[in-house]
Amino acid sequence: MSENDTPPTESQRRIQRDIFGRRMDEVQPRWERRKAKIRAEIERNRRGEYKVPTWVLLAALIAIVVGFTLFVALA
C-alpha cells in the first residue's frame, strides 16, 4: 500500500461547508469575491477576451429589423 491509500482522518471527513457548498475555510466575504470577479474580468478584457453583452446584440438586431421594415414600408 502506498501512503495515498490511507483512509481520510475524521477531520478530513468533517469538512464544514456553507449553504452554497463552499468550504468554510475557503469562504471569503462577498465584497472580496466581487472584487476578485471584477479584477478577473478586467484582466480578460485587457487580453482581448471580451464579449459583447447580449443586450447590445439584441438592440442591434432590433434596430436592423425596424430599419428594414421602415425601408420596405416607406419605399
Side-chain angles (χ1 to χ4, degrees), residues 2 10 14 18 20 23-24 29-30 37 41 48-49 57 65 70:
S2 68
E10 185 67 26
R14 290 187 171 206
D18 66 0
F20 299 110
R23 293 175 55 161
M24 292 298 286
R30 182 177 180 182
K37 186 177 178 182
E41 182 178 356
E49 299 176 19
L57 296 174
V65 170
L70 288 174

Side-chain angles (χ1 to χ4, degrees), residues 10-72:
E10 185 67 26
S11 63
Q12 289 173 334
R13 275 186 262 147
R14 290 187 171 206
I15 296 173
Q16 291 191 350
R17 297 185 181 273
D18 66 0
I19 60 172
F20 299 110
R22 295 183 300 245
R23 293 175 55 161
M24 292 298 286
D25 57 347
E26 296 174 353
V27 174
Q28 297 174 336
R30 182 177 180 182
W31 60 273
E32 286 280 340
R33 291 191 311 268
R34 180 74 179 144
K35 278 176 45 176
K37 186 177 178 182
I38 291 170
R39 196 172 290 128
E41 182 178 356
I42 290 171
E43 289 173 7
R44 280 193 309 272
N45 291 346
R46 286 183 178 162
R47 288 192 307 261
E49 299 176 19
Y50 59 90
K51 298 178 184 174
V52 178
T54 305
W55 66 269
V56 173
L57 296 174
L58 179 64
L61 178 64
I62 290 172
I64 291 170
V65 170
V66 169
F68 182 74
T69 304
L70 288 174
F71 180 74
V72 169

